[in-house]
Short mmCIF file of all heavy atoms in Angstrom, two decimals:
data_model
loop_
_atom_site.label_atom_id
_atom_site.label_comp_id
_atom_site.label_asym_id
_atom_site.label_seq_id
_atom_site.Cartn_x
_atom_site.Cartn_y
_atom_site.Cartn_z
N CYS A 1 72.26 16.20 -61.95
CA CYS A 1 71.75 17.44 -61.36
C CYS A 1 70.39 17.80 -61.96
O CYS A 1 69.46 18.23 -61.14
CB CYS A 1 72.83 18.57 -61.63
SG CYS A 1 74.32 18.45 -60.62
N LEU A 2 70.23 17.67 -63.20
CA LEU A 2 68.95 17.87 -63.80
C LEU A 2 67.87 16.95 -63.37
O LEU A 2 66.74 17.44 -63.16
CB LEU A 2 69.07 17.85 -65.45
CG LEU A 2 69.84 18.97 -65.93
CD1 LEU A 2 70.05 18.78 -67.47
CD2 LEU A 2 69.40 20.35 -65.73
N ASP A 3 68.20 15.73 -63.02
CA ASP A 3 67.14 14.78 -62.54
C ASP A 3 66.75 15.27 -61.10
O ASP A 3 65.62 15.27 -60.84
CB ASP A 3 67.82 13.37 -62.38
CG ASP A 3 67.92 12.62 -63.75
OD1 ASP A 3 67.19 13.18 -64.81
OD2 ASP A 3 68.56 11.66 -63.94
N VAL A 4 67.68 15.65 -60.33
CA VAL A 4 67.37 16.18 -58.96
C VAL A 4 66.56 17.36 -59.03
O VAL A 4 65.57 17.52 -58.32
CB VAL A 4 68.69 16.32 -58.13
CG1 VAL A 4 68.40 17.04 -56.83
CG2 VAL A 4 69.31 14.97 -57.87
N ALA A 5 67.00 18.35 -59.98
CA ALA A 5 66.16 19.56 -60.04
C ALA A 5 64.81 19.35 -60.52
O ALA A 5 63.81 20.18 -60.26
CB ALA A 5 66.90 20.48 -61.09
N ASP A 6 64.59 18.18 -61.23
CA ASP A 6 63.24 17.90 -61.69
C ASP A 6 62.46 17.14 -60.63
O ASP A 6 61.34 16.65 -60.86
CB ASP A 6 63.40 16.97 -62.97
CG ASP A 6 62.11 17.03 -63.78
OD1 ASP A 6 61.42 17.99 -63.82
OD2 ASP A 6 61.81 15.94 -64.48
N GLY A 7 63.01 16.91 -59.55
CA GLY A 7 62.19 16.31 -58.43
C GLY A 7 62.59 14.86 -58.07
O GLY A 7 62.04 14.43 -57.09
N ARG A 8 63.59 14.34 -58.69
CA ARG A 8 63.87 12.94 -58.44
C ARG A 8 64.83 12.93 -57.29
O ARG A 8 65.79 13.93 -57.17
CB ARG A 8 64.55 12.25 -59.64
CG ARG A 8 63.62 12.15 -60.82
CD ARG A 8 64.28 11.45 -62.04
NE ARG A 8 63.40 11.45 -63.16
CZ ARG A 8 63.35 12.36 -64.04
NH1 ARG A 8 64.11 13.46 -63.93
NH2 ARG A 8 62.53 12.36 -65.13
N PRO A 9 64.93 11.91 -56.44
CA PRO A 9 65.88 11.91 -55.32
C PRO A 9 67.28 11.67 -55.85
O PRO A 9 67.59 10.94 -56.86
CB PRO A 9 65.43 10.67 -54.56
CG PRO A 9 64.68 9.80 -55.45
CD PRO A 9 63.95 10.79 -56.34
N PRO A 10 68.32 12.22 -55.19
CA PRO A 10 69.69 11.98 -55.68
C PRO A 10 70.12 10.49 -55.40
O PRO A 10 69.55 9.88 -54.44
CB PRO A 10 70.46 12.92 -54.70
CG PRO A 10 69.63 13.18 -53.54
CD PRO A 10 68.15 13.17 -54.04
N SER A 11 70.89 10.07 -56.33
CA SER A 11 71.41 8.69 -56.07
C SER A 11 72.44 8.69 -54.93
O SER A 11 72.96 9.65 -54.54
CB SER A 11 72.17 8.20 -57.43
OG SER A 11 73.29 9.04 -57.56
N PRO A 12 72.53 7.43 -54.30
CA PRO A 12 73.35 7.27 -53.16
C PRO A 12 74.77 7.78 -53.47
O PRO A 12 75.37 7.41 -54.52
CB PRO A 12 73.36 5.86 -52.81
CG PRO A 12 71.98 5.34 -53.45
CD PRO A 12 71.78 6.19 -54.69
N GLY A 13 75.39 8.55 -52.55
CA GLY A 13 76.71 9.12 -52.77
C GLY A 13 76.82 10.26 -53.62
O GLY A 13 77.92 10.79 -53.78
N PHE A 14 75.73 10.74 -54.15
CA PHE A 14 75.81 11.92 -55.07
C PHE A 14 75.56 13.19 -54.18
O PHE A 14 74.57 13.71 -54.13
CB PHE A 14 74.75 11.75 -56.14
CG PHE A 14 74.73 12.82 -57.20
CD1 PHE A 14 76.00 13.51 -57.61
CD2 PHE A 14 73.57 13.23 -57.85
CE1 PHE A 14 75.98 14.50 -58.61
CE2 PHE A 14 73.60 14.23 -58.86
CZ PHE A 14 74.87 14.83 -59.12
N SER A 15 76.69 13.65 -53.56
CA SER A 15 76.60 14.73 -52.65
C SER A 15 76.12 16.02 -53.41
O SER A 15 75.45 16.88 -52.78
CB SER A 15 77.98 14.93 -51.99
OG SER A 15 78.27 13.84 -51.20
N LEU A 16 76.58 16.21 -54.54
CA LEU A 16 76.25 17.46 -55.27
C LEU A 16 74.66 17.48 -55.46
O LEU A 16 74.08 18.51 -55.29
CB LEU A 16 76.95 17.52 -56.62
CG LEU A 16 76.80 18.81 -57.33
CD1 LEU A 16 77.61 19.90 -56.64
CD2 LEU A 16 77.43 18.63 -58.78
N GLY A 17 74.20 16.28 -55.81
CA GLY A 17 72.63 16.21 -55.94
C GLY A 17 72.02 16.32 -54.62
O GLY A 17 70.89 16.90 -54.48
N ARG A 18 72.58 15.89 -53.49
CA ARG A 18 72.00 15.94 -52.19
C ARG A 18 71.88 17.39 -51.79
O ARG A 18 70.91 17.85 -51.32
CB ARG A 18 72.79 15.16 -51.09
CG ARG A 18 72.16 15.22 -49.69
CD ARG A 18 72.81 14.04 -48.91
NE ARG A 18 74.15 14.14 -48.67
CZ ARG A 18 74.79 14.94 -47.81
NH1 ARG A 18 74.08 15.49 -46.88
NH2 ARG A 18 76.09 14.89 -47.67
N PHE A 19 72.93 18.22 -51.98
CA PHE A 19 72.94 19.64 -51.74
C PHE A 19 71.83 20.33 -52.68
O PHE A 19 70.96 21.11 -52.16
CB PHE A 19 74.28 20.21 -52.09
CG PHE A 19 74.48 21.60 -51.52
CD1 PHE A 19 75.80 22.06 -51.50
CD2 PHE A 19 73.46 22.42 -50.99
CE1 PHE A 19 76.06 23.39 -50.96
CE2 PHE A 19 73.68 23.58 -50.50
CZ PHE A 19 74.98 24.19 -50.54
N LEU A 20 71.70 19.95 -53.93
CA LEU A 20 70.82 20.58 -54.90
C LEU A 20 69.41 20.21 -54.47
O LEU A 20 68.50 21.02 -54.56
CB LEU A 20 71.08 20.05 -56.27
CG LEU A 20 70.08 20.57 -57.33
CD1 LEU A 20 70.04 22.07 -57.41
CD2 LEU A 20 70.55 20.06 -58.69
N ALA A 21 69.25 18.94 -53.90
CA ALA A 21 67.83 18.58 -53.47
C ALA A 21 67.40 19.53 -52.30
O ALA A 21 66.19 19.87 -52.26
CB ALA A 21 67.83 17.21 -53.00
N GLY A 22 68.28 19.84 -51.46
CA GLY A 22 67.90 20.82 -50.42
C GLY A 22 67.64 22.17 -50.92
O GLY A 22 66.55 22.84 -50.45
N LEU A 23 68.31 22.71 -51.88
CA LEU A 23 68.06 23.93 -52.57
C LEU A 23 66.67 23.88 -53.18
O LEU A 23 65.93 24.82 -53.17
CB LEU A 23 69.16 24.28 -53.64
CG LEU A 23 70.48 24.67 -53.08
CD1 LEU A 23 71.49 24.85 -54.24
CD2 LEU A 23 70.39 26.00 -52.26
N ARG A 24 66.46 22.74 -54.00
CA ARG A 24 65.14 22.57 -54.62
C ARG A 24 63.94 22.70 -53.71
O ARG A 24 62.99 23.27 -53.85
CB ARG A 24 65.11 21.44 -55.52
CG ARG A 24 63.84 21.42 -56.41
CD ARG A 24 63.65 19.94 -57.00
NE ARG A 24 62.49 20.07 -57.94
CZ ARG A 24 61.27 20.07 -57.64
NH1 ARG A 24 60.88 20.04 -56.35
NH2 ARG A 24 60.35 20.10 -58.61
N ALA A 25 64.19 22.04 -52.51
CA ALA A 25 63.09 21.90 -51.48
C ALA A 25 62.81 23.29 -50.98
O ALA A 25 61.69 23.67 -50.67
CB ALA A 25 63.57 20.97 -50.37
N GLU A 26 63.86 24.02 -50.73
CA GLU A 26 63.63 25.53 -50.32
C GLU A 26 62.99 26.36 -51.37
O GLU A 26 62.02 27.12 -51.00
CB GLU A 26 64.98 26.10 -49.95
CG GLU A 26 64.79 27.45 -49.19
CD GLU A 26 65.94 27.75 -48.26
OE1 GLU A 26 66.96 27.07 -48.24
OE2 GLU A 26 65.84 28.78 -47.60
N MET A 27 63.35 26.16 -52.64
CA MET A 27 62.64 26.86 -53.72
C MET A 27 61.19 26.42 -53.81
O MET A 27 60.31 27.24 -53.94
CB MET A 27 63.39 26.57 -54.97
CG MET A 27 64.69 27.15 -55.22
SD MET A 27 64.73 28.92 -55.26
CE MET A 27 63.69 29.43 -56.55
N ALA A 28 60.87 25.10 -53.65
CA ALA A 28 59.57 24.70 -53.80
C ALA A 28 58.60 25.22 -52.60
O ALA A 28 57.46 25.18 -52.77
CB ALA A 28 59.60 23.16 -53.86
N ALA A 29 59.26 25.62 -51.50
CA ALA A 29 58.48 26.07 -50.41
C ALA A 29 57.95 27.43 -50.65
O ALA A 29 57.13 27.94 -50.03
CB ALA A 29 59.28 26.14 -49.16
N ALA A 30 58.63 28.20 -51.70
CA ALA A 30 58.09 29.54 -52.03
C ALA A 30 56.81 29.48 -52.87
O ALA A 30 56.73 28.71 -53.82
CB ALA A 30 59.25 30.21 -52.84
N PRO A 31 55.91 30.35 -52.60
CA PRO A 31 54.60 30.20 -53.28
C PRO A 31 54.69 30.43 -54.76
O PRO A 31 53.99 29.88 -55.56
CB PRO A 31 53.79 31.48 -52.63
CG PRO A 31 54.48 31.57 -51.34
CD PRO A 31 55.90 31.27 -51.44
N ALA A 32 55.72 31.19 -55.26
CA ALA A 32 55.90 31.58 -56.71
C ALA A 32 56.47 30.36 -57.47
O ALA A 32 56.46 30.36 -58.66
CB ALA A 32 56.74 32.78 -56.94
N PHE A 33 57.06 29.44 -56.83
CA PHE A 33 57.89 28.44 -57.53
C PHE A 33 56.97 27.49 -58.41
O PHE A 33 57.37 27.15 -59.56
CB PHE A 33 58.70 27.48 -56.58
CG PHE A 33 59.49 26.48 -57.16
CD1 PHE A 33 60.68 27.00 -57.86
CD2 PHE A 33 59.42 25.16 -57.07
CE1 PHE A 33 61.56 26.05 -58.39
CE2 PHE A 33 60.34 24.24 -57.75
CZ PHE A 33 61.37 24.68 -58.34
N ALA A 34 55.77 27.17 -57.90
CA ALA A 34 54.88 26.27 -58.68
C ALA A 34 54.60 26.65 -60.12
O ALA A 34 54.49 25.90 -61.07
CB ALA A 34 53.56 26.02 -57.93
N GLY A 35 54.44 28.06 -60.30
CA GLY A 35 54.28 28.47 -61.68
C GLY A 35 55.54 28.89 -62.37
O GLY A 35 55.40 29.21 -63.56
N ARG A 36 56.68 28.72 -61.82
CA ARG A 36 57.92 29.32 -62.41
C ARG A 36 59.02 28.21 -62.34
O ARG A 36 60.19 28.52 -62.59
CB ARG A 36 58.35 30.64 -61.83
CG ARG A 36 57.25 31.62 -62.12
CD ARG A 36 57.47 32.87 -61.21
NE ARG A 36 56.36 33.87 -61.52
CZ ARG A 36 55.14 33.83 -60.98
NH1 ARG A 36 54.86 32.80 -60.00
NH2 ARG A 36 54.27 34.75 -61.33
N GLU A 37 58.67 27.02 -62.01
CA GLU A 37 59.72 25.93 -61.86
C GLU A 37 60.41 25.77 -63.24
O GLU A 37 61.71 25.54 -63.30
CB GLU A 37 58.95 24.62 -61.55
CG GLU A 37 59.96 23.43 -61.43
CD GLU A 37 59.22 22.23 -60.87
OE1 GLU A 37 57.99 22.33 -60.62
OE2 GLU A 37 59.83 21.10 -60.89
N VAL A 38 59.68 25.98 -64.42
CA VAL A 38 60.38 25.77 -65.74
C VAL A 38 61.42 26.89 -65.95
O VAL A 38 62.50 26.55 -66.41
CB VAL A 38 59.32 25.83 -66.82
CG1 VAL A 38 59.96 25.93 -68.17
CG2 VAL A 38 58.35 24.67 -66.75
N LEU A 39 61.15 28.08 -65.49
CA LEU A 39 62.14 29.11 -65.56
C LEU A 39 63.34 28.83 -64.82
O LEU A 39 64.56 29.09 -65.20
CB LEU A 39 61.63 30.41 -65.13
CG LEU A 39 60.40 31.05 -65.92
CD1 LEU A 39 59.90 32.33 -65.28
CD2 LEU A 39 60.86 31.35 -67.36
N TRP A 40 63.13 28.23 -63.60
CA TRP A 40 64.36 27.94 -62.70
C TRP A 40 65.11 26.71 -63.30
O TRP A 40 66.38 26.79 -63.41
CB TRP A 40 63.79 27.58 -61.35
CG TRP A 40 64.91 27.18 -60.29
CD1 TRP A 40 65.60 27.96 -59.60
CD2 TRP A 40 65.18 25.81 -59.89
NE1 TRP A 40 66.42 27.26 -58.73
CE2 TRP A 40 66.23 25.97 -59.00
CE3 TRP A 40 64.74 24.53 -60.23
CZ2 TRP A 40 66.68 24.90 -58.24
CZ3 TRP A 40 65.25 23.43 -59.57
CH2 TRP A 40 66.23 23.57 -58.55
N MET A 41 64.34 25.75 -63.89
CA MET A 41 65.05 24.67 -64.54
C MET A 41 65.80 25.09 -65.79
O MET A 41 66.95 24.64 -66.00
CB MET A 41 63.98 23.58 -64.96
CG MET A 41 63.53 22.66 -63.88
SD MET A 41 64.79 21.44 -63.35
CE MET A 41 64.96 20.50 -64.87
N ASP A 42 65.21 26.01 -66.60
CA ASP A 42 65.92 26.51 -67.70
C ASP A 42 67.16 27.23 -67.40
O ASP A 42 68.18 27.08 -68.05
CB ASP A 42 64.97 27.47 -68.51
CG ASP A 42 63.82 26.77 -69.30
OD1 ASP A 42 63.95 25.48 -69.45
OD2 ASP A 42 62.93 27.45 -69.67
N ALA A 43 67.23 28.02 -66.27
CA ALA A 43 68.45 28.70 -65.96
C ALA A 43 69.45 27.79 -65.49
O ALA A 43 70.68 27.93 -65.73
CB ALA A 43 68.05 29.76 -64.84
N LEU A 44 69.02 26.73 -64.68
CA LEU A 44 70.03 25.76 -64.32
C LEU A 44 70.53 25.02 -65.45
O LEU A 44 71.79 24.76 -65.60
CB LEU A 44 69.36 24.79 -63.35
CG LEU A 44 70.09 23.48 -62.86
CD1 LEU A 44 71.38 23.87 -62.22
CD2 LEU A 44 69.26 22.66 -62.01
N ARG A 45 69.64 24.54 -66.39
CA ARG A 45 70.16 23.77 -67.58
C ARG A 45 71.04 24.67 -68.33
O ARG A 45 72.11 24.15 -68.88
CB ARG A 45 68.96 23.33 -68.46
CG ARG A 45 69.31 22.44 -69.56
CD ARG A 45 68.14 22.05 -70.39
NE ARG A 45 67.32 21.14 -69.61
CZ ARG A 45 66.17 21.49 -69.09
NH1 ARG A 45 65.58 22.64 -69.18
NH2 ARG A 45 65.42 20.59 -68.45
N ASP A 46 70.76 25.96 -68.51
CA ASP A 46 71.66 26.78 -69.27
C ASP A 46 73.05 26.87 -68.69
O ASP A 46 74.07 26.86 -69.39
CB ASP A 46 71.10 28.21 -69.35
CG ASP A 46 69.87 28.33 -70.34
OD1 ASP A 46 69.63 27.36 -71.16
OD2 ASP A 46 69.16 29.33 -70.18
#
């Protein structure tokens, strides 16, 4: 999950990662995400 959240593509068959990749793509489309990606990653890692 952390790899996908960091921008790597999910491995084949990793459905949880595929769903997360879609979430990350939607987050990345928000103008504020570029400067706050670390905050989002920190909350996910926590």
Side-chain angles (χ1 to χ4, degrees):
C1 287
L2 292 176
D3 283 345
V4 171
D6 202 32
R8 300 180 184 88
S11 59
F14 186 30
S15 294
L16 192 67
R18 184 163 59 89
F19 194 166
L20 179 58
L23 288 173
R24 189 192 187 283
E26 189 154 5
M27 290 297 301
F33 187 67
R36 295 166 183 85
E37 182 178 352
V38 171
L39 295 176
W40 183 76
M41 281 286 296
D42 285 347
L44 174 61
R45 184 179 292 105
D46 289 345

